[in-house]
Structures are given as C-alpha cells and as structure tokens.
Amino acid sequence: MRTVGVEEELLVVDATGIPVPKGPEALAVAARTGEGEDVEQHDRVEHGEADTAGTAHLMPELKAQQLELGTPVCTTLDEVGRELRHWRGRADAAAAAVGARVAALATSPVDVEPVQTEGERYARLNEAFGVTAWDVLTCGCHVHVSVEDDEEGVAVLNRIRVWLPVLTAMTANSPFWRGRDTAYSSFRSQVWQRWPSAGPNGPFADADDYHRLVDEVLATETVLDTGMIYFDARLSAKWPTVEVRTADVALRAEDAVTLAGVVRGLVETAARDARAGGAEPVMRAEVLRLAAWRAGRSGLSGDLVHPMTGRPAPAADVLGDLVDHIRPALADAGDERTVDDGVRTLLARGTGADLQRRVHRETGDLSAVVRAAVAATSGADADRATAEATG
C-alpha cells in the first residue's frame, strides 16, 4: 500500500471577502497549541518544497494572506479526508481567533494587494523575481505518494506526465483574478507558469538523468535553490515520494480526497507498468504545455487534450479514461468506490470554479463568492454555501 500525504494552501480573508495579512498572527495562535510553525522556522524550509509530508502541520506561505496545511502520512482515503477536514478546521479556528476566516480558493476573486510574509528567504524571492513574486497570491494542492527509490520515482514521472493536465482540470478553482472573470477555470495554473522553472518536462533516462537536470537548472543561477524546482511533478528532495503539483487547491475537501486517490492510482499504475517493461507514453513537452493550457482554460466544461491521442476530447471522456487506466490500482488499494463516486459527483455538480461563477451570476458580488468559499471550505455543501453567500 503506497502512502499518501496532501498539502493545501488557503487564503485568509475578512468578512468582506478581502484577503488580509493575518496568516502570521493566526499561526502564532496555532503555535501556542502545538499545531503551527512560526514564520522564521518556516523561512528556513525551502519555499515550494516544504517536504513536511508525514508531519501534520500549519505553516506560513510566501504571502501573509495565506496559510498552508499538511496532513500526516495516510494509508487510506478515509484517513486523508479526516485529516484534511481536521486541519482545515484548525486553520479556520486559528484565523477566527484573529478576526478572519480561511477559504480554499486558488486565487482571490476580489482585487487585493499581496503582502509579503516577513523572512530573509521571502525577501530574496521578491528581489530576484520582481513582479512575478510581488503579484503572486495563488493557492495550490500538492500530493505526495511514496515510491521505493529515485529510480522507481523517475519511472513514475515519465509515465504520469501526460495525465497531469487532467488533474488541473478536475480541481479548477480560480476563475477570478483582480476583480474580474478571467475566462479561465484555473487561472492559478496560468499565473504559476511565470516562475522560470515551472511547467512540464520531457522524459528522463533514469534517476541520474533527473538529478543532472536539477543540477543544470541550479547551475544557471536563475532559481535560488532546489526549493524552486517547480516541475509539474518531481522527486521530493527529502522524502521517498513523488510530488504532484499541478492542482488548484480544491474548494471542497472531498474533491481533494478524490484527487489524492487518483494521484495514488496513477503512481501505482505507472510503477507496475515500469516493472512489466511497458512503453512510456509519448508526448513532447511542447504539446504537453498546450494540454496544460487547455485544462486551465476550460476545466471540466470543455475539451481536453487526450493523453493517448494528443487530440481534443470531451473532458468527461478523458477523466473517465483516466479512471479506467488506473482502475486495477484503485481496486487493490480499496480506493475504487471513493474515486468513482468522487469523479461522478465532480462531473454532475462541477468544480470549484463552477460554483464560484454560479454564485457570481446569482449575486453579482465577488464578496459573496468568497463567503460561499468560506462556507464550502468549512464543510458546507454547495447549496448551503450558496445560501450563506446570498442570504
């Protein structure tokens, strides 16, 4: 049984829906209960490679209007769900103690000026990357799945790379940016591409080849360190895991559970295929980048580039083929029913982006969108979330 851990980034918002720089204050509250890290401690952890998968935690992020949570190592999807709900609740309680709430939104619907979290490393990021670092206020979800070693990890990376855009589509939760509808379902995925090391890779010959690429990236002195190896999926620098990084933070915890099940199924399926000597799927990185763009543009509401054909196909068909591709692994892990139900629900009621747009259509108020997100983040269903936002 492969273990799985999930990290989520959340916005800290006030009653009007505006992200507020109270993340460090909320963390100070959490730290007094032993459930958070202080800013200076986290500043020594590589930004973007917290690699605390295995330790339940609340942490700061690049912007003071954010909090990050992480589950412990989990063996079942039920456990993933319990831990996500617990840590979302702890984050919300810590934010409430300083007059705010948390919202699982991948971008802020309302216009906001991002505020840098204090710390030497964050200051270096802002100095080195200018407006890319100044403007970014995005929240993603990272899923870690255990692998035997780097060789197995690279074999997995080579085989899952073509499916990663589908994960962006199924978690799309960022249609608004600076107070307007972007016409994207996941605009976070577009903003993220501004970082110089972000995006898809070609396949690797072996683990040595992977590490050579990392060394070559560092040798350019363009990124600060290994924490800025922002590949769509990568080997963890500190843990025996593959980390998949293409997802928006999911509005609902149950969608994050579905994502975790799909990622674990992908990793196990890829490892089995590698052991059996199966051929790696072929798709050039340039085409994969187009597939990722389309996933961010339409989410599950339009066509995606099918990983097996390189041609457009309805998102529901592509997602269904992904589940069929990993079905034996899902069944063996006991995840099949949870993932089937989760995917069926996603296709029926839509993504976080769909809920945000529905609330905005009904209210014309982006603050109402954030209130709905706060309610959904805390565990309310879609109807209740909308009612709370519009009532």
Side-chain angles (χ1 to χ4, degrees):
M1 179 71 70
R2 294 183 187 275
T3 59
V4 59
V6 178
E7 297 166 345
E8 292 187 317
E9 297 156 355
L10 307 172
L11 291 181
V12 179
V13 300
D14 67 12
T16 69
I18 298 174
V20 289
K22 292 189 174 183
E25 294 176 52
L27 275 174
V29 172
R32 289 198 290 271
T33 67
E35 293 181 325
E37 294 183 350
D38 62 58
V39 173
E40 290 306 317
Q41 179 182 1
H42 181 63
D43 193 46
R44 294 192 294 269
V45 179
E46 296 166 329
H47 172 56
E49 178 64 90
D51 258 340
T52 48
T55 305
H57 61 288
L58 297 176
M59 295 190 302
E61 250 298 333
L62 177 62
K63 300 304 180 185
Q65 294 109 319
Q66 294 175 285
L67 286 176
E68 180 180 336
L69 67 84
T71 72
V73 171
C74 299
T75 57
T76 70
L77 294 186
D78 284 347
E79 187 181 0
V80 172
R82 286 195 301 272
E83 292 292 341
L84 283 173
R85 291 180 181 93
H86 170 77
W87 288 100
R88 284 185 174 206
R90 292 302 305 145
D92 196 39
V98 297
R101 300 291 300 275
V102 295
L105 291 166
T107 55
S108 171
V110 298
D111 196 13
V112 62
E113 186 68 30
V115 176
Q116 173 188 313
T117 299
E118 293 183 1
E120 182 272 337
R121 193 167 193 285
Y122 296 133
R124 290 175 60 205
L125 280 164
N126 277 273
E127 180 180 0
F129 297 100
V131 70
T132 292
W134 305 338
D135 278 0
V136 68
L137 181 58
T138 61
C139 296
C141 176
H142 304 159
V143 180
H144 287 258
V145 178
S146 61
V147 290
E148 289 184 4
D149 52 30
D150 284 358
E151 288 297 344
E152 182 179 68
V154 165
V156 166
L157 293 178
N158 287 348
R159 288 166 171 79
I160 69 173
R161 56 192 286 274
V162 299
W163 292 102
L164 298 182
V166 187
L167 307 183
T168 302
M170 65 183 284
T171 59
N173 188 30
S174 47
F176 298 103
W177 179 260
R178 294 198 174 280
R180 64 182 296 186
D181 193 321
T182 64
Y184 288 81
S185 292
S186 170
F187 195 64
R188 178 210 61 85
S189 63
Q190 308 301 311
V191 174
W192 189 251
Q193 295 302 314
R194 297 179 185 179
W195 294 104
S197 58
N201 311 104
F204 302 101
D206 51 29
D208 287 342
D209 189 32
Y210 175 92
H211 291 297
R212 277 194 298 272
L213 175 60
V214 171
D215 289 343
E216 289 172 9
V217 170
L218 295 175
T220 70
E221 299 185 3
T222 303
V223 301
L224 300 187
D225 49 38
T226 56
M228 289 194 67
I229 302 299
Y230 289 158
F231 301 160
D232 286 348
R234 65 187 182 185
L235 302 181
S236 168
K238 298 179 181 177
W239 299 86
T241 66
V242 164
E243 182 189 7
V244 173
R245 303 168 48 83
T246 55
D248 282 9
V249 66
L251 182 58
R252 305 168 179 86
E254 57 265 35
D255 290 349
V257 173
T258 302
L259 171 70
V262 169
V263 174
R264 177 158 68 173
L266 272 171
V267 171
E268 175 62 19
T269 299
R272 291 180 183 185
D273 186 66
R275 288 196 298 271
E280 298 170 357
V282 177
M283 184 176 285
R284 289 183 58 138
E286 296 89 343
V287 177
L288 194 51
R289 186 174 293 277
L290 296 175
W293 184 90
R294 290 194 70 149
R297 178 67 169 83
S298 58
L300 294 179
S301 64
D303 286 351
L304 299 175
V305 176
H306 199 297
M308 297 296 99
T309 67
R311 300 294 185 269
D317 293 349
V318 177
L319 186 52
D321 287 348
L322 167 56
V323 174
D324 288 343
H325 171 65
I326 63 176
R327 189 169 297 283
L330 294 176
D332 291 346
D335 295 345
E336 186 175 18
R337 180 173 179 178
T338 299
V339 170
D340 276 341
D341 289 348
V343 167
R344 188 160 43 247
T345 299
L346 260 176
L347 292 173
R349 56 104 159 110
T351 63
D354 296 321
L355 175 63
Q356 289 189 54
R357 284 186 167 125
R358 177 159 64 93
V359 172
H360 190 244
R361 284 195 304 270
E362 293 177 3
T363 67
D365 182 4
L366 290 174
S367 295
V369 174
V370 181
R371 292 196 297 274
V374 168
T377 303
S378 68
D381 64 26
D383 289 338
R384 178 182 159 198
T386 303
E388 289 191 18
T390 58

